[in-house]
Amino acid sequence: MNVPFLSLKDITNKYSTEIHNAVSKVIDSGWYLQGSANDTFEKNYSDYIGVKHTIGVANGLDALVWILRAYIELGIMKPGDEVIVPANTYIASILAITDNELVPVLIEPSIKTYQIDDSLIEEKITNKTKAIMIVHLYGQCAYTKKIDDLCKKYNLKLIEDNAQAHGCLFDGKKTGSLGDAAGHSFYPGKNLGALGDAGAVTTNDDLLANTIRSLANYGSSKKYVFKYQGRNSRLDEIQAAVLDVKLKYLDEDITLRKEIAKKYISGITNPNIILPNVSDWNSHVFHIFTIRCKNRDELQKYLESKGIGTNIHYPIPPHKQECYKEWNNLSFPITEKIHQEELSLPMSPTLTDEQIQYVIEAINEWK
């Protein structure tokens, strides 16, 4: 049996007719940027997340870059200020910080949840700290009341990297609405994925929203008038139309992902495997189903021999990357342990019961 890690073709086929119709409507309109498809998606996504503003941008990295850049333009931050961020995140979270000449302060995650350890944050706050960036890694909510309290206590901005957690909940509120602003990625493999690169910022802050919209449009809010030295980072009409189709089915797809996760968690009994720790099923949307294993590489090769696709999120932590060679001698043992042991199993709303059972049996047979 063949079980792909993720078949984007199968996912797209679920909505094929509606996507073709939506794309054709854009093509026939003759209007391909900053038109009605963007307006519609931004409104519907704002309603879904529960915020006043959605600003469509070119990709998820840009979404985070523009949030921080807008705070600099508004005088809330300046180059050299510090942003607290989890050490085990995908590198985009950190790139957004350094791209703005801000300083990332890396914090270890909890080994149970893989989310930033809120008990380690306060000791790292200095007079240069201006924000905490939480990352809802793998689709699990990273927000805690303690983090919110720290932001209030020290007058810090709370920024969410919501690239992997569309539709995730904390106490009835969607991630992407919990902080001051949030960056969203709609990379094709995300739970809400476009047919190319796409992203968005969500916020309730009117001034921040207007500033980001200008920055991502060459620095202009009025044609040929440029307040900022911006860049071109806009969500195109075709991607907006595709996302608006798929948004209608996001909660349904999340339900399917959770059902698969429950089958994995109840079915995988191999003692060599560490399964996800889920304390609240509303607070995890299983963008990625991650397991840990001391012999991760051997397990991956074994599963590959069985026709089961896997991935590693992520093989090299940010502080060990060549682009941040000044950090290469730093030690983050929990982060390093996760990166050495993590393996992602097939997770998609298109998986069949037979495929899920095949994965479970293969892992249980591995020694």
Side-chain angles (χ1 to χ4, degrees):
M1 182 181 289
N2 179 54
V3 187
F5 175 70
L6 179 65
S7 173
L8 294 178
K9 183 178 179 180
D10 288 347
I11 290 173
T12 303
N13 282 343
K14 285 185 66 179
Y15 328 103
S16 179
T17 299
E18 288 186 69
I19 286 174
H20 279 281
N21 290 340
V23 171
S24 294
K25 184 177 179 181
V26 172
I27 293 171
D28 292 343
S29 75
W31 194 283
Y32 307 130
L33 276 172
Q34 296 183 301
S36 60
N38 257 277
D39 292 344
T40 299
F41 172 68
E42 288 183 353
K43 179 186 183 304
N44 289 339
Y45 197 62
S46 292
D47 291 344
Y48 178 80
I49 296 294
V51 292
K52 289 171 64 177
H53 303 284
T54 293
I55 305 99
V57 297
N59 54 67
L61 172 56
D62 277 6
L64 295 173
V65 167
W66 294 131
I67 292 168
L68 295 169
R69 171 72 183 281
Y71 281 133
I72 291 172
E73 294 289 353
L74 293 171
I76 294 168
M77 299 180 190
K78 63 182 183 302
D81 283 341
E82 297 172 349
V83 178
I84 287 172
V85 64
N88 64 318
T89 184
Y90 181 58
I91 201 165
S93 313
I94 294 169
L95 288 171
I97 298 169
T98 57
D99 186 71
N100 280 289
E101 299 181 13
L102 299 166
V103 179
V105 177
L106 306 182
I107 303 291
E108 286 269 56
S110 160
I111 194 62
K112 288 185 177 181
T113 66
Y114 313 133
Q115 309 304 315
I116 192 169
D117 188 336
D118 62 9
S119 70
L120 303 177
I121 293 175
E122 189 165 19
E123 65 191 58
K124 296 295 184 180
I125 295 173
T126 72
N127 59 3
K128 288 189 175 183
T129 308
K130 292 296 184 285
I132 299 174
M133 182 184 290
I134 57 174
V135 182
H136 306 298
L137 197 63
Y138 307 143
Q140 186 165 8
C141 182
Y143 175 92
T144 67
K145 186 65 168 59
K146 184 171 185 176
I147 292 173
D148 188 65
D149 289 343
L150 287 173
C151 288
K152 289 182 172 66
K153 179 178 179 180
Y154 293 98
N155 193 28
L156 307 178
K157 295 298 182 182
L158 178 56
I159 300 168
E160 298 174 76
D161 181 339
N162 199 46
Q164 300 185 9
H166 319 121
C168 190
L169 293 169
F170 177 88
D171 197 22
K173 292 183 66 176
K174 296 267 189 4
T175 55
S177 71
L178 301 171
D180 295 286
H184 307 249
S185 168
F186 305 124
Y187 178 80
K190 305 299 186 185
N191 289 19
L192 179 60
L195 299 186
D197 276 322
V201 174
T202 56
T203 184
N204 286 312
D205 185 328
D206 296 343
L207 182 57
L208 185 73
N210 291 335
T211 305
I212 290 170
R213 197 174 291 281
S214 294
L215 284 167
N217 186 40
Y218 299 98
S220 172
S221 57
K222 181 180 179 182
K223 195 167 186 178
Y224 301 135
V225 178
F226 303 94
K227 183 175 182 179
Y228 307 107
Q229 296 178 24
R231 289 209 312 258
N232 176 13
S233 176
R234 300 177 298 202
L235 178 63
D236 73 65
E237 287 286 281
I238 287 177
Q239 300 302 345
V242 169
L243 288 167
D244 201 51
V245 169
K246 296 178 75 174
L247 179 59
K248 295 185 293 185
Y249 302 100
L250 179 56
D251 286 343
E252 176 185 310
D253 285 348
I254 289 171
T255 297
L256 292 172
R257 288 174 176 272
K258 290 180 181 180
E259 289 174 358
I260 294 166
K262 288 175 181 177
K263 289 174 183 176
Y264 278 153
I265 290 172
S266 63
I268 295 173
T269 57
N270 189 323
N272 298 305
I273 304 300
I274 298 173
L275 294 163
N277 185 301
V278 185
S279 58
D280 181 356
W281 283 89
N282 289 319
S283 293
H284 207 319
V285 294
F286 292 97
H287 168 56
I288 292 167
F289 188 92
T290 184
I291 63 173
R292 284 184 20 242
C293 176
K294 289 184 178 178
N295 300 316
R296 184 264 312 281
D297 294 344
E298 288 81 359
L299 174 58
Q300 185 177 41
K301 289 175 184 176
Y302 161 79
L303 292 174
E304 183 181 349
S305 73
K306 293 281 191 178
I308 298 171
T310 60
N311 209 333
I312 298 172
H313 294 88
Y314 302 95
I316 305 172
H319 70 283
K320 296 296 184 182
Q321 297 286 353
E322 185 177 354
C323 64
Y324 291 117
K325 54 183 178 291
E326 66 273 22
W327 298 344
N328 287 175
N329 291 327
L330 296 178
S331 175
F332 292 94
I334 296 174
T335 291
E336 290 159 24
K337 182 179 181 64
I338 293 169
H339 284 253
Q340 289 161 6
E341 297 180 353
E342 193 277 340
L343 187 67
S344 304
L345 300 184
M347 172 54 75
S348 163
T350 63
L351 286 176
T352 67
D353 288 341
E354 290 76 20
Q355 288 175 317
I356 297 163
Q357 190 58 35
Y358 180 70
V359 173
I360 291 170
E361 290 174 359
I363 292 175
N364 286 340
E365 291 169 3
W366 182 69
K367 297 178 181 179

